[in-house]
Amino acid sequence: MSTADGATIVSGREGTDPRRGSARALRWGAGTALRADLRLFGSEFGLHLVRRRNWAGVGVLLSVPIILAVCVKVTSDGNTDGAGPGFLTAVTDNGLFVALAALTMELPLFLPLAMATICADTVAGEANTGTLRYLLVVPVHRTRLLIIKYLAVLVAFTGALLLLVVVGWAIGTALFGGGSLTTLSGEQISFWAGVGRLLLVCLYIDVCFAGLAAIGMFVSTLTEQPLAVVIATVAVATISQVLDTVPQLSSIHGYLPTHHWMAFADLFREPVALGSIRPGILSALAYAAIFLSAAWARFGDKDITC
Amino acid sequence: MSVSSAVQAAGEADGGCAVRTHRLTKRFRSGQVAVNAVDLAVPRGSVYGFVGPNGSGKTTTIRMLLGLVRPTAGRHELLGLSMPRQAGRVLPAVGALVEGPAFHPYLSGPANLRRLDAVDRTADPRSAGPRIGAALERVGLSSAGNKRYRNYSLGMRQRLAIAAALLRPRDLLILDEPTNGLDPQGTREVRSLVTRLSQEGVTVMLSTHLLSEVEQVCTHVGVMRTGSLIAQSSLAQLRGSTATGVRVETSCPQAAAAVLIECGLGGVVPGPGVVQADLGPYEPEALVVALVRAEVPVRGFTCVQPTLEELFVSLTGEGFDVDG
């Protein structure tokens, strides 16, 4: 049967003869291919959404800004020295800083854990339940599956990140008020400029975690145990952060996957200090490219025996 | 082997093979040869019983057929197209059940089928609902509703896997142990479903270790043993290749044996109260008349078709352990 844009889609007996496939392929419009990819993406993203485990994880992520804001509000002296790059001390100044302080606290462990958990579901999780073999005989091209799974992971993570920021901002504004805010370098910016900066921070963290997601996807193609993926991915992030604190290793610090993560604070300076943002983005893109290629090479001709 | 070349000729006569392998081999990294130079020929329109004990390489062969496992040597075609190069074109016309059902436990049956349909870039999303409904109907799962897969019984899981294989019209079904875990009623349903699909023109390749299943639904059979295809033939040819026997129950076995020898039968073996012989080209009716005329007291007269298991023994020269 034909769709509006002239592409032929199989839904009846006559279309299943594979020898007619080449003729069919010629009539495949780009629009149909894109729609099919979107459908697969929706299915992948939907799998993340329907898992109660994932929502429990989101609950944990959201609890941090709530607990943080309430604690700061209750302890009136606000003695919060020594936590993060100066955001915690500023939360009473403007509610927006609750979101930033929460990000700072969750960046080392909770966010990598969240990313590792959803990466584990993609390939290792499907291999573990055996659904991977049924996906591949549908059929679906392994490269297409890998890329769409990666994109679904990034979108799911972005969703969690935005929820975290929105909840932090909402409870912060409710408890400490909004209005214009003072940047880390002392200048005042308007409230909406602050919101824009916050979104830029999310974007930057997203790019950083695209690198970690590629590492997670790669590990996911190596094993059939989702838990192993979680452990390995969190271990990579943690070891990287530990090595980052050893001064004797300063020569390799710039190459560590987590080295530039905290640079997001520079987006809250006036003017924005791009000095560490740019290498952060380049590093994350490099990690994404390397480990996605590795995942592709590994998954592309892997024997599916589970 | 002569039997397999006969099948090959038959396959080419009726329009080629739905599954054809050439020296297909899988050697695992451990060095173990799971599948050794297998030449399968599944004629189009047949119901092909792929039998062999557990661990004989059936599942690895099926995984190679579907492109899940890369062969170490050899090549194969499905529906006339070479695999795995043309997987994207040929697999939409192939429904498969590989080594038991596997679905997302926290999704319902229909949601799992929707998921599989969403992966298929050649499937029409607008017809997904009716197609899923029809597939569930066909395996008797319509009433399961939105129950999560994790709460399905083994039989329901097996049915859902078959429904997934029937999500769209197929030319070839590759079913690995489709009746595993089903109760007798479910087993009967699956067998009649296979027969119906075959009547609709679908080629069915059915892996099983139940010879009774082969006897009831298959037109062709291939036997695996320790990684090799040791026999392959149509069931009729297999039956024709072994002699039908005659069994006469009588109180005078010696007299009966004499009559049978006189009629020209070979392999006459008189025993206590019974005589057995090879029927050969003779009419059973004529033998009964001859026995009665010679006043042999006949209590029973049977033509004995050897069981499939006996056929396999005669074909391979050794026992076939159905349960592995």
Side-chain angles (χ1 to χ4, degrees), chain A residues 254-288:
Chain A
Y255 300 101
L256 293 170
T258 61
H259 179 71
H260 302 281
W261 285 5
M262 285 297 178
F264 78 85
D266 291 353
L267 292 166
F268 264 83
R269 295 186 200 286
E270 188 63 30
V272 171
L274 284 178
S276 50
I277 297 288
R278 203 176 291 119
I281 290 172
L282 290 177
S283 158
L285 292 181
Y287 268 101

PDB file of all heavy atoms in Angstrom, chain A residues 254-288:
ATOM      1  N   GLY A 254      43.748  17.093  31.726  1.00  0.00           N
ATOM      2  CA  GLY A 254      42.939  17.642  30.638  1.00  0.00           C
ATOM      3  C   GLY A 254      42.279  16.575  29.783  1.00  0.00           C
ATOM      4  O   GLY A 254      41.308  16.853  29.077  1.00  0.00           O
ATOM      5  N   TYR A 255      42.835  15.344  29.845  1.00  0.00           N
ATOM      6  CA  TYR A 255      42.281  14.276  29.003  1.00  0.00           C
ATOM      7  C   TYR A 255      41.243  13.424  29.733  1.00  0.00           C
ATOM      8  O   TYR A 255      40.653  12.531  29.148  1.00  0.00           O
ATOM      9  CB  TYR A 255      43.406  13.368  28.486  1.00  0.00           C
ATOM     10  CG  TYR A 255      44.414  14.116  27.661  1.00  0.00           C
ATOM     11  CD1 TYR A 255      45.631  14.514  28.193  1.00  0.00           C
ATOM     12  CD2 TYR A 255      44.123  14.461  26.337  1.00  0.00           C
ATOM     13  CE1 TYR A 255      46.540  15.228  27.441  1.00  0.00           C
ATOM     14  CE2 TYR A 255      45.028  15.168  25.567  1.00  0.00           C
ATOM     15  CZ  TYR A 255      46.243  15.548  26.132  1.00  0.00           C
ATOM     16  OH  TYR A 255      47.126  16.254  25.374  1.00  0.00           O
ATOM     17  N   LEU A 256      41.065  13.676  31.022  1.00  0.00           N
ATOM     18  CA  LEU A 256      40.104  12.857  31.781  1.00  0.00           C
ATOM     19  C   LEU A 256      38.678  13.218  31.377  1.00  0.00           C
ATOM     20  O   LEU A 256      38.368  14.394  31.148  1.00  0.00           O
ATOM     21  CB  LEU A 256      40.301  13.091  33.285  1.00  0.00           C
ATOM     22  CG  LEU A 256      41.633  12.569  33.827  1.00  0.00           C
ATOM     23  CD1 LEU A 256      41.843  13.052  35.263  1.00  0.00           C
ATOM     24  CD2 LEU A 256      41.691  11.053  33.755  1.00  0.00           C
ATOM     25  N   PRO A 257      37.802  12.216  31.281  1.00  0.00           N
ATOM     26  CA  PRO A 257      36.445  12.501  30.780  1.00  0.00           C
ATOM     27  C   PRO A 257      35.645  13.450  31.668  1.00  0.00           C
ATOM     28  O   PRO A 257      34.730  14.111  31.190  1.00  0.00           O
ATOM     29  CB  PRO A 257      35.796  11.113  30.705  1.00  0.00           C
ATOM     30  CG  PRO A 257      36.630  10.219  31.540  1.00  0.00           C
ATOM     31  CD  PRO A 257      38.016  10.786  31.522  1.00  0.00           C
ATOM     32  N   THR A 258      35.984  13.514  32.966  1.00  0.00           N
ATOM     33  CA  THR A 258      35.180  14.353  33.857  1.00  0.00           C
ATOM     34  C   THR A 258      35.843  15.702  34.153  1.00  0.00           C
ATOM     35  O   THR A 258      35.268  16.529  34.856  1.00  0.00           O
ATOM     36  CB  THR A 258      34.966  13.650  35.213  1.00  0.00           C
ATOM     37  OG1 THR A 258      36.249  13.445  35.808  1.00  0.00           O
ATOM     38  CG2 THR A 258      34.261  12.312  35.041  1.00  0.00           C
ATOM     39  N   HIS A 259      37.054  15.919  33.601  1.00  0.00           N
ATOM     40  CA  HIS A 259      37.852  17.069  34.028  1.00  0.00           C
ATOM     41  C   HIS A 259      37.131  18.404  33.856  1.00  0.00           C
ATOM     42  O   HIS A 259      37.258  19.302  34.687  1.00  0.00           O
ATOM     43  CB  HIS A 259      39.175  17.089  33.261  1.00  0.00           C
ATOM     44  CG  HIS A 259      40.050  18.250  33.602  1.00  0.00           C
ATOM     45  ND1 HIS A 259      40.695  18.348  34.817  1.00  0.00           N
ATOM     46  CD2 HIS A 259      40.374  19.382  32.901  1.00  0.00           C
ATOM     47  CE1 HIS A 259      41.390  19.481  34.848  1.00  0.00           C
ATOM     48  NE2 HIS A 259      41.203  20.113  33.701  1.00  0.00           N
ATOM     49  N   HIS A 260      36.374  18.526  32.775  1.00  0.00           N
ATOM     50  CA  HIS A 260      35.791  19.836  32.452  1.00  0.00           C
ATOM     51  C   HIS A 260      34.359  20.002  32.947  1.00  0.00           C
ATOM     52  O   HIS A 260      33.755  21.030  32.719  1.00  0.00           O
ATOM     53  CB  HIS A 260      35.835  20.051  30.935  1.00  0.00           C
ATOM     54  CG  HIS A 260      37.206  19.971  30.362  1.00  0.00           C
ATOM     55  ND1 HIS A 260      38.107  21.006  30.426  1.00  0.00           N
ATOM     56  CD2 HIS A 260      37.849  18.966  29.723  1.00  0.00           C
ATOM     57  CE1 HIS A 260      39.244  20.642  29.845  1.00  0.00           C
ATOM     58  NE2 HIS A 260      39.109  19.402  29.420  1.00  0.00           N
ATOM     59  N   TRP A 261      33.815  18.971  33.600  1.00  0.00           N
ATOM     60  CA  TRP A 261      32.402  19.025  33.971  1.00  0.00           C
ATOM     61  C   TRP A 261      32.057  20.256  34.800  1.00  0.00           C
ATOM     62  O   TRP A 261      31.075  20.943  34.548  1.00  0.00           O
ATOM     63  CB  TRP A 261      31.997  17.758  34.753  1.00  0.00           C
ATOM     64  CG  TRP A 261      31.864  16.553  33.882  1.00  0.00           C
ATOM     65  CD1 TRP A 261      32.154  16.475  32.552  1.00  0.00           C
ATOM     66  CD2 TRP A 261      31.414  15.256  34.280  1.00  0.00           C
ATOM     67  NE1 TRP A 261      31.920  15.207  32.093  1.00  0.00           N
ATOM     68  CE2 TRP A 261      31.457  14.433  33.123  1.00  0.00           C
ATOM     69  CE3 TRP A 261      30.981  14.696  35.479  1.00  0.00           C
ATOM     70  CZ2 TRP A 261      31.084  13.086  33.150  1.00  0.00           C
ATOM     71  CZ3 TRP A 261      30.605  13.364  35.501  1.00  0.00           C
ATOM     72  CH2 TRP A 261      30.654  12.563  34.341  1.00  0.00           C
ATOM     73  N   MET A 262      32.893  20.541  35.842  1.00  0.00           N
ATOM     74  CA  MET A 262      32.561  21.621  36.768  1.00  0.00           C
ATOM     75  C   MET A 262      32.716  22.998  36.134  1.00  0.00           C
ATOM     76  O   MET A 262      32.342  24.012  36.732  1.00  0.00           O
ATOM     77  CB  MET A 262      33.432  21.514  38.018  1.00  0.00           C
ATOM     78  CG  MET A 262      33.012  20.392  38.954  1.00  0.00           C
ATOM     79  SD  MET A 262      31.342  20.655  39.618  1.00  0.00           S
ATOM     80  CE  MET A 262      31.147  19.155  40.592  1.00  0.00           C
ATOM     81  N   ALA A 263      33.252  23.022  34.913  1.00  0.00           N
ATOM     82  CA  ALA A 263      33.431  24.307  34.231  1.00  0.00           C
ATOM     83  C   ALA A 263      32.100  24.991  33.954  1.00  0.00           C
ATOM     84  O   ALA A 263      32.069  26.157  33.574  1.00  0.00           O
ATOM     85  CB  ALA A 263      34.204  24.100  32.930  1.00  0.00           C
ATOM     86  N   PHE A 264      30.998  24.273  34.151  1.00  0.00           N
ATOM     87  CA  PHE A 264      29.697  24.907  33.890  1.00  0.00           C
ATOM     88  C   PHE A 264      29.519  26.151  34.743  1.00  0.00           C
ATOM     89  O   PHE A 264      28.754  27.052  34.391  1.00  0.00           O
ATOM     90  CB  PHE A 264      28.554  23.910  34.105  1.00  0.00           C
ATOM     91  CG  PHE A 264      28.184  23.660  35.538  1.00  0.00           C
ATOM     92  CD1 PHE A 264      27.297  24.517  36.191  1.00  0.00           C
ATOM     93  CD2 PHE A 264      28.708  22.577  36.238  1.00  0.00           C
ATOM     94  CE1 PHE A 264      26.946  24.291  37.517  1.00  0.00           C
ATOM     95  CE2 PHE A 264      28.358  22.359  37.563  1.00  0.00           C
ATOM     96  CZ  PHE A 264      27.480  23.216  38.204  1.00  0.00           C
ATOM     97  N   ALA A 265      30.246  26.204  35.874  1.00  0.00           N
ATOM     98  CA  ALA A 265      30.134  27.378  36.743  1.00  0.00           C
ATOM     99  C   ALA A 265      30.556  28.644  36.007  1.00  0.00           C
ATOM    100  O   ALA A 265      30.045  29.738  36.283  1.00  0.00           O
ATOM    101  CB  ALA A 265      30.991  27.181  37.984  1.00  0.00           C
ATOM    102  N   ASP A 266      31.460  28.485  35.021  1.00  0.00           N
ATOM    103  CA  ASP A 266      31.953  29.652  34.290  1.00  0.00           C
ATOM    104  C   ASP A 266      30.861  30.331  33.472  1.00  0.00           C
ATOM    105  O   ASP A 266      31.011  31.484  33.057  1.00  0.00           O
ATOM    106  CB  ASP A 266      33.107  29.251  33.361  1.00  0.00           C
ATOM    107  CG  ASP A 266      34.340  28.877  34.164  1.00  0.00           C
ATOM    108  OD1 ASP A 266      34.304  29.067  35.403  1.00  0.00           O
ATOM    109  OD2 ASP A 266      35.310  28.396  33.569  1.00  0.00           O
ATOM    110  N   LEU A 267      29.756  29.580  33.231  1.00  0.00           N
ATOM    111  CA  LEU A 267      28.644  30.188  32.507  1.00  0.00           C
ATOM    112  C   LEU A 267      27.906  31.177  33.399  1.00  0.00           C
ATOM    113  O   LEU A 267      27.044  31.906  32.938  1.00  0.00           O
ATOM    114  CB  LEU A 267      27.689  29.103  31.997  1.00  0.00           C
ATOM    115  CG  LEU A 267      28.263  28.215  30.895  1.00  0.00           C
ATOM    116  CD1 LEU A 267      27.410  26.981  30.683  1.00  0.00           C
ATOM    117  CD2 LEU A 267      28.399  28.995  29.591  1.00  0.00           C
ATOM    118  N   PHE A 268      28.226  31.162  34.683  1.00  0.00           N
ATOM    119  CA  PHE A 268      27.609  32.127  35.592  1.00  0.00           C
ATOM    120  C   PHE A 268      28.565  33.225  35.996  1.00  0.00           C
ATOM    121  O   PHE A 268      28.477  33.775  37.074  1.00  0.00           O
ATOM    122  CB  PHE A 268      27.020  31.408  36.824  1.00  0.00           C
ATOM    123  CG  PHE A 268      25.556  31.132  36.658  1.00  0.00           C
ATOM    124  CD1 PHE A 268      25.124  30.013  35.966  1.00  0.00           C
ATOM    125  CD2 PHE A 268      24.601  32.024  37.130  1.00  0.00           C
ATOM    126  CE1 PHE A 268      23.784  29.767  35.765  1.00  0.00           C
ATOM    127  CE2 PHE A 268      23.255  31.790  36.937  1.00  0.00           C
ATOM    128  CZ  PHE A 268      22.835  30.664  36.256  1.00  0.00           C
ATOM    129  N   ARG A 269      29.533  33.456  35.112  1.00  0.00           N
ATOM    130  CA  ARG A 269      30.380  34.634  35.292  1.00  0.00           C
ATOM    131  C   ARG A 269      29.970  35.679  34.265  1.00  0.00           C
ATOM    132  O   ARG A 269      29.321  35.380  33.271  1.00  0.00           O
ATOM    133  CB  ARG A 269      31.857  34.266  35.104  1.00  0.00           C
ATOM    134  CG  ARG A 269      32.363  33.303  36.155  1.00  0.00           C
ATOM    135  CD  ARG A 269      33.851  33.074  36.038  1.00  0.00           C
ATOM    136  NE  ARG A 269      34.233  31.832  36.715  1.00  0.00           N
ATOM    137  CZ  ARG A 269      34.299  31.694  38.031  1.00  0.00           C
ATOM    138  NH1 ARG A 269      34.030  32.716  38.837  1.00  0.00           N
ATOM    139  NH2 ARG A 269      34.636  30.544  38.559  1.00  0.00           N
ATOM    140  N   GLU A 270      30.370  36.906  34.519  1.00  0.00           N
ATOM    141  CA  GLU A 270      30.031  37.987  33.599  1.00  0.00           C
ATOM    142  C   GLU A 270      31.313  38.715  33.236  1.00  0.00           C
ATOM    143  O   GLU A 270      31.935  39.294  34.129  1.00  0.00           O
ATOM    144  CB  GLU A 270      29.012  38.938  34.249  1.00  0.00           C
ATOM    145  CG  GLU A 270      28.434  39.980  33.343  1.00  0.00           C
ATOM    146  CD  GLU A 270      27.631  39.402  32.184  1.00  0.00           C
ATOM    147  OE1 GLU A 270      27.055  38.305  32.362  1.00  0.00           O
ATOM    148  OE2 GLU A 270      27.615  40.004  31.109  1.00  0.00           O
ATOM    149  N   PRO A 271      31.764  38.715  31.985  1.00  0.00           N
ATOM    150  CA  PRO A 271      31.187  37.963  30.866  1.00  0.00           C
ATOM    151  C   PRO A 271      31.487  36.466  30.995  1.00  0.00           C
ATOM    152  O   PRO A 271      32.383  36.096  31.755  1.00  0.00           O
ATOM    153  CB  PRO A 271      31.921  38.551  29.660  1.00  0.00           C
ATOM    154  CG  PRO A 271      33.247  38.958  30.193  1.00  0.00           C
ATOM    155  CD  PRO A 271      33.004  39.429  31.609  1.00  0.00           C
ATOM    156  N   VAL A 272      30.763  35.649  30.244  1.00  0.00           N
ATOM    157  CA  VAL A 272      30.935  34.199  30.292  1.00  0.00           C
ATOM    158  C   VAL A 272      32.366  33.832  29.950  1.00  0.00           C
ATOM    159  O   VAL A 272      32.916  34.294  28.952  1.00  0.00           O
ATOM    160  CB  VAL A 272      29.974  33.521  29.302  1.00  0.00           C
ATOM    161  CG1 VAL A 272      30.292  32.035  29.186  1.00  0.00           C
ATOM    162  CG2 VAL A 272      28.545  33.727  29.740  1.00  0.00           C
ATOM    163  N   ALA A 273      32.989  33.036  30.831  1.00  0.00           N
ATOM    164  CA  ALA A 273      34.365  32.615  30.593  1.00  0.00           C
ATOM    165  C   ALA A 273      34.356  31.326  29.790  1.00  0.00           C
ATOM    166  O   ALA A 273      33.995  30.281  30.302  1.00  0.00           O
ATOM    167  CB  ALA A 273      35.081  32.407  31.936  1.00  0.00           C
ATOM    168  N   LEU A 274      34.740  31.454  28.503  1.00  0.00           N
ATOM    169  CA  LEU A 274      34.686  30.276  27.638  1.00  0.00           C
ATOM    170  C   LEU A 274      35.977  29.464  27.696  1.00  0.00           C
ATOM    171  O   LEU A 274      36.074  28.417  27.081  1.00  0.00           O
ATOM    172  CB  LEU A 274      34.414  30.696  26.190  1.00  0.00           C
ATOM    173  CG  LEU A 274      32.970  31.101  25.894  1.00  0.00           C
ATOM    174  CD1 LEU A 274      32.827  31.532  24.443  1.00  0.00           C
ATOM    175  CD2 LEU A 274      32.008  29.964  26.203  1.00  0.00           C
ATOM    176  N   GLY A 275      36.952  29.972  28.466  1.00  0.00           N
ATOM    177  CA  GLY A 275      38.270  29.355  28.501  1.00  0.00           C
ATOM    178  C   GLY A 275      38.244  27.873  28.821  1.00  0.00           C
ATOM    179  O   GLY A 275      39.032  27.097  28.285  1.00  0.00           O
ATOM    180  N   SER A 276      37.330  27.442  29.690  1.00  0.00           N
ATOM    181  CA  SER A 276      37.292  26.015  30.028  1.00  0.00           C
ATOM    182  C   SER A 276      36.052  25.340  29.460  1.00  0.00           C
ATOM    183  O   SER A 276      35.939  24.126  29.480  1.00  0.00           O
ATOM    184  CB  SER A 276      37.328  25.846  31.551  1.00  0.00           C
ATOM    185  OG  SER A 276      36.350  26.676  32.134  1.00  0.00           O
ATOM    186  N   ILE A 277      35.107  26.152  28.965  1.00  0.00           N
ATOM    187  CA  ILE A 277      33.903  25.565  28.352  1.00  0.00           C
ATOM    188  C   ILE A 277      34.250  24.911  27.023  1.00  0.00           C
ATOM    189  O   ILE A 277      33.852  23.782  26.743  1.00  0.00           O
ATOM    190  CB  ILE A 277      32.831  26.662  28.121  1.00  0.00           C
ATOM    191  CG1 ILE A 277      32.378  27.248  29.456  1.00  0.00           C
ATOM    192  CG2 ILE A 277      31.664  26.130  27.315  1.00  0.00           C
ATOM    193  CD1 ILE A 277      31.523  26.331  30.265  1.00  0.00           C
ATOM    194  N   ARG A 278      35.034  25.644  26.226  1.00  0.00           N
ATOM    195  CA  ARG A 278      35.342  25.140  24.885  1.00  0.00           C
ATOM    196  C   ARG A 278      36.085  23.803  24.937  1.00  0.00           C
ATOM    197  O   ARG A 278      35.658  22.844  24.288  1.00  0.00           O
ATOM    198  CB  ARG A 278      36.109  26.202  24.090  1.00  0.00           C
ATOM    199  CG  ARG A 278      35.974  25.995  22.591  1.00  0.00           C
ATOM    200  CD  ARG A 278      36.651  27.082  21.776  1.00  0.00           C
ATOM    201  NE  ARG A 278      36.015  28.383  21.851  1.00  0.00           N
ATOM    202  CZ  ARG A 278      36.600  29.492  22.313  1.00  0.00           C
ATOM    203  NH1 ARG A 278      37.840  29.447  22.775  1.00  0.00           N
ATOM    204  NH2 ARG A 278      35.962  30.634  22.330  1.00  0.00           N
ATOM    205  N   PRO A 279      37.197  23.697  25.705  1.00  0.00           N
ATOM    206  CA  PRO A 279      37.848  22.371  25.774  1.00  0.00           C
ATOM    207  C   PRO A 279      36.936  21.303  26.369  1.00  0.00           C
ATOM    208  O   PRO A 279      37.034  20.131  26.007  1.00  0.00           O
ATOM    209  CB  PRO A 279      39.065  22.610  26.672  1.00  0.00           C
ATOM    210  CG  PRO A 279      38.846  23.923  27.322  1.00  0.00           C
ATOM    211  CD  PRO A 279      37.952  24.724  26.427  1.00  0.00           C
ATOM    212  N   GLY A 280      36.013  21.724  27.244  1.00  0.00           N
ATOM    213  CA  GLY A 280      35.074  20.759  27.816  1.00  0.00           C
ATOM    214  C   GLY A 280      34.205  20.139  26.739  1.00  0.00           C
ATOM    215  O   GLY A 280      34.005  18.929  26.690  1.00  0.00           O
ATOM    216  N   ILE A 281      33.704  21.016  25.842  1.00  0.00           N
ATOM    217  CA  ILE A 281      32.844  20.534  24.759  1.00  0.00           C
ATOM    218  C   ILE A 281      33.639  19.643  23.810  1.00  0.00           C
ATOM    219  O   ILE A 281      33.203  18.551  23.429  1.00  0.00           O
ATOM    220  CB  ILE A 281      32.225  21.733  24.006  1.00  0.00           C
ATOM    221  CG1 ILE A 281      31.210  22.429  24.906  1.00  0.00           C
ATOM    222  CG2 ILE A 281      31.573  21.289  22.710  1.00  0.00           C
ATOM    223  CD1 ILE A 281      30.663  23.723  24.372  1.00  0.00           C
ATOM    224  N   LEU A 282      34.861  20.107  23.457  1.00  0.00           N
ATOM    225  CA  LEU A 282      35.681  19.323  22.531  1.00  0.00           C
ATOM    226  C   LEU A 282      36.014  17.952  23.117  1.00  0.00           C
ATOM    227  O   LEU A 282      35.940  16.928  22.432  1.00  0.00           O
ATOM    228  CB  LEU A 282      36.968  20.081  22.195  1.00  0.00           C
ATOM    229  CG  LEU A 282      36.759  21.320  21.322  1.00  0.00           C
ATOM    230  CD1 LEU A 282      38.092  22.049  21.109  1.00  0.00           C
ATOM    231  CD2 LEU A 282      36.138  20.930  19.978  1.00  0.00           C
ATOM    232  N   SER A 283      36.361  17.947  24.421  1.00  0.00           N
ATOM    233  CA  SER A 283      36.709  16.683  25.078  1.00  0.00           C
ATOM    234  C   SER A 283      35.519  15.726  25.052  1.00  0.00           C
ATOM    235  O   SER A 283      35.661  14.541  24.726  1.00  0.00           O
ATOM    236  CB  SER A 283      37.153  16.983  26.514  1.00  0.00           C
ATOM    237  OG  SER A 283      37.003  15.839  27.315  1.00  0.00           O
ATOM    238  N   ALA A 284      34.332  16.256  25.379  1.00  0.00           N
ATOM    239  CA  ALA A 284      33.147  15.388  25.412  1.00  0.00           C
ATOM    240  C   ALA A 284      32.842  14.844  24.022  1.00  0.00           C
ATOM    241  O   ALA A 284      32.541  13.661  23.858  1.00  0.00           O
ATOM    242  CB  ALA A 284      31.946  16.169  25.945  1.00  0.00           C
ATOM    243  N   LEU A 285      32.957  15.706  22.999  1.00  0.00           N
ATOM    244  CA  LEU A 285      32.677  15.247  21.638  1.00  0.00           C
ATOM    245  C   LEU A 285      33.685  14.193  21.205  1.00  0.00           C
ATOM    246  O   LEU A 285      33.336  13.209  20.532  1.00  0.00           O
ATOM    247  CB  LEU A 285      32.679  16.432  20.669  1.00  0.00           C
ATOM    248  CG  LEU A 285      31.530  17.432  20.859  1.00  0.00           C
ATOM    249  CD1 LEU A 285      31.612  18.556  19.824  1.00  0.00           C
ATOM    250  CD2 LEU A 285      30.171  16.738  20.787  1.00  0.00           C
ATOM    251  N   ALA A 286      34.953  14.395  21.622  1.00  0.00           N
ATOM    252  CA  ALA A 286      35.975  13.404  21.276  1.00  0.00           C
ATOM    253  C   ALA A 286      35.658  12.063  21.928  1.00  0.00           C
ATOM    254  O   ALA A 286      35.725  11.008  21.288  1.00  0.00           O
ATOM    255  CB  ALA A 286      37.351  13.897  21.712  1.00  0.00           C
ATOM    256  N   TYR A 287      35.305  12.102  23.233  1.00  0.00           N
ATOM    257  CA  TYR A 287      34.945  10.847  23.913  1.00  0.00           C
ATOM    258  C   TYR A 287      33.743  10.187  23.244  1.00  0.00           C
ATOM    259  O   TYR A 287      33.708   8.973  23.056  1.00  0.00           O
ATOM    260  CB  TYR A 287      34.644  11.109  25.396  1.00  0.00           C
ATOM    261  CG  TYR A 287      35.875  10.945  26.254  1.00  0.00           C
ATOM    262  CD1 TYR A 287      36.589  12.048  26.706  1.00  0.00           C
ATOM    263  CD2 TYR A 287      36.332   9.671  26.593  1.00  0.00           C
ATOM    264  CE1 TYR A 287      37.726  11.891  27.471  1.00  0.00           C
ATOM    265  CE2 TYR A 287      37.470   9.513  27.360  1.00  0.00           C
ATOM    266  CZ  TYR A 287      38.170  10.627  27.797  1.00  0.00           C
ATOM    267  OH  TYR A 287      39.296  10.459  28.541  1.00  0.00           O
ATOM    268  N   ALA A 288      32.753  11.008  22.877  1.00  0.00           N
ATOM    269  CA  ALA A 288      31.560  10.454  22.231  1.00  0.00           C
ATOM    270  C   ALA A 288      31.940   9.772  20.919  1.00  0.00           C
ATOM    271  O   ALA A 288      31.532   8.637  20.647  1.00  0.00           O
ATOM    272  CB  ALA A 288      30.529  11.551  21.988  1.00  0.00           C
TER     273      ALA A 288
END
